[in-house]
Amino acid sequence: MGFGRGKVILLGEHAVVHGYPAIAVGIDRGVVAEASPGDEDLLILSPWDLDVRPDPAGEPLERAFAIALSGHSKRPPLEVRAEIGLPGGAGLGCSAAIGVAVLQAIDEALGLERSREKLAEAAYEWEKIFHGNPSGIDNTMSAVGGVALFRKGEPLQPLRSNKPLHLVVGYSGQSPSTKEMVSSVARQLESDPVRVNKAFEAIDVLVRNAKLAIEAGDHVALGQLLDLNHTILSSLMLCTTKLDEMCQTARKTGALGAKMTGGGGGGCMIALAPKRDEALRIREILGENAFVTEVGA
Ligand code: MEV
């Protein structure tokens, strides 16, 4: 069975596309896939009710599936069934998780084995089809998981903490295109490099401090850093009124900090809770589109 995790970026999204570090966590929710010989190459995505046939010149999923199959010559036709347990376009790395799960399922059906790191590399090619210029953080966290510091082109740096992170993930119900949000930041960088580079440098400082806070188990400091990162992302016009409101609600309900996560323009926010009980209370207040995840224990 193939499994690709969803991911949550704690700090550093967007800046990470431009070579700065980011900290992310792999979550338990994700995509499960199974492949077996069939009548034709077919990818069945549930619960989206979508059948995809490989086509190198087709729609993104058709192209991605064609790439996933292309490395394997002498093989039977494969039917791949993927069960998606994440909202798409919500900043939780759904497309990368599908890629990792499908690639692993194909490997298993053909009796092949690759390390999670190699799987992450292969899933980068899949991810490029959906996001144009991805940093690689989504496919890497989807394949490898844990809590880690990621920087484009460098080995993933796992972070250790003796304290679990109690996170609440709230979905705004809006699913913007990550590709468009990344392009919007690139356009701002081109038209106003001084302002945007300052924002990236400030995010860089927050990420470095967050690494220390995680390693020291100082979640109060980490919460403050999340809040600050949210403000900088707002200045890049990535937050929405809905995300701001959700973050405010989480803070008022006892969160140590809260911010948008991923591409922004909608998608998801995260809140850091001091303990599991508080996390459950925040989730309840945020409503049915929110869930609790515990990482790094
Ligand atoms: C998307 O999950 C995170 C972004 O930084 C894009 C990327 O890193 O590829 C917005």
Side-chain angles (χ1 to χ4, degrees):
M1 199 168 62
F3 180 57
R5 288 172 188 282
K7 67 90 191 49
V8 162
I9 297 185
L10 287 185
L11 298 100
E13 52 274 270
H14 286 286
V16 71
V17 175
H18 301 272
Y20 293 90
I23 297 176
V25 304
I27 60 175
D28 288 342
R29 291 181 181 220
V31 178
V32 178
E34 199 130 37
S36 51
D39 296 334
E40 59 171 339
D41 287 331
L42 185 65
L43 170 61
I44 302 165
L45 296 165
S46 312
W48 293 354
D49 206 11
L50 208 59
D51 288 0
V52 179
R53 288 175 180 80
D55 179 355
E59 294 294 311
L61 266 170
E62 294 169 338
R63 276 188 277 147
F65 189 35
I67 286 187
L69 292 167
S70 64
H72 312 289
S73 43
K74 284 186 191 145
R75 59 165 181 85
L78 288 176
E79 188 177 293
V80 187
R81 290 179 177 272
E83 186 67 40
I84 299 160
L86 289 169
L92 300 182
C94 185
S95 59
I98 299 174
V100 169
V102 167
L103 285 160
Q104 193 187 3
I106 293 172
D107 280 359
E108 282 186 9
L110 301 179
L112 305 168
E113 231 178 274
R114 300 189 235 216
S115 68
R116 298 303 287 180
E117 287 74 16
K118 291 277 171 214
L119 203 54
E121 273 173 33
Y124 185 63
E125 297 308 311
W126 171 289
E127 196 52 359
K128 276 202 286 199
I129 293 182
F130 296 93
H131 296 315
N133 177 29
S135 63
I137 193 167
D138 287 15
N139 47 294
T140 304
M141 293 312 297
S142 177
V144 181
V147 184
L149 188 134
F150 173 92
R151 190 198 272 262
K152 214 171 173 175
E154 289 182 8
L156 190 68
Q157 205 179 316
L159 301 183
R160 294 205 175 282
S161 166
N162 53 3
K163 244 188 186 177
L165 292 166
H166 299 283
L167 295 173
V168 187
V169 183
Y171 178 42
S172 67
Q174 298 151 328
S175 295
S177 144
T178 301
K179 195 173 177 173
E180 272 168 31
M181 302 316 291
V182 169
S183 303
S184 141
V185 174
R187 278 195 302 275
Q188 292 179 58
L189 179 62
E190 209 180 306
S191 63
D192 195 349
V194 174
R195 176 180 67 87
V196 177
N197 277 318
K198 268 192 188 150
F200 289 164
E201 278 155 25
I203 291 173
D204 186 19
V205 173
L206 299 182
V207 169
R208 288 169 199 278
N209 280 292
K211 173 181 178 287
L212 300 176
I214 290 169
E215 288 171 339
D218 187 348
H219 292 182
V220 172
L222 182 61
Q224 288 166 351
L225 294 165
L226 295 184
D227 287 346
L228 290 169
N229 196 173
H230 182 81
T231 307
I232 300 174
L233 292 165
S234 282
S235 78
L236 294 172
M237 288 168 280
L238 296 163
C239 300
T240 61
T241 310
K242 174 88 180 164
L243 286 171
D244 285 341
E245 281 169 8
M246 290 169 83
C247 289
Q248 274 300 60
T249 304
R251 290 182 196 114
K252 276 191 208 141
T253 317
L256 299 171
K259 67 180 271 292
M260 59 148 272
T261 186
C268 284
M269 50 72 72
I270 50 167
L272 175 66
K275 291 210 179 84
R276 187 172 161 75
D277 284 354
E278 279 92 341
L280 292 172
R281 203 167 61 229
I282 296 166
R283 184 203 57 191
E284 205 159 309
I285 304 273
L286 287 179
E288 59 184 29
N289 276 340
F291 64 91
V292 168
T293 186
E294 202 176 285
V295 278

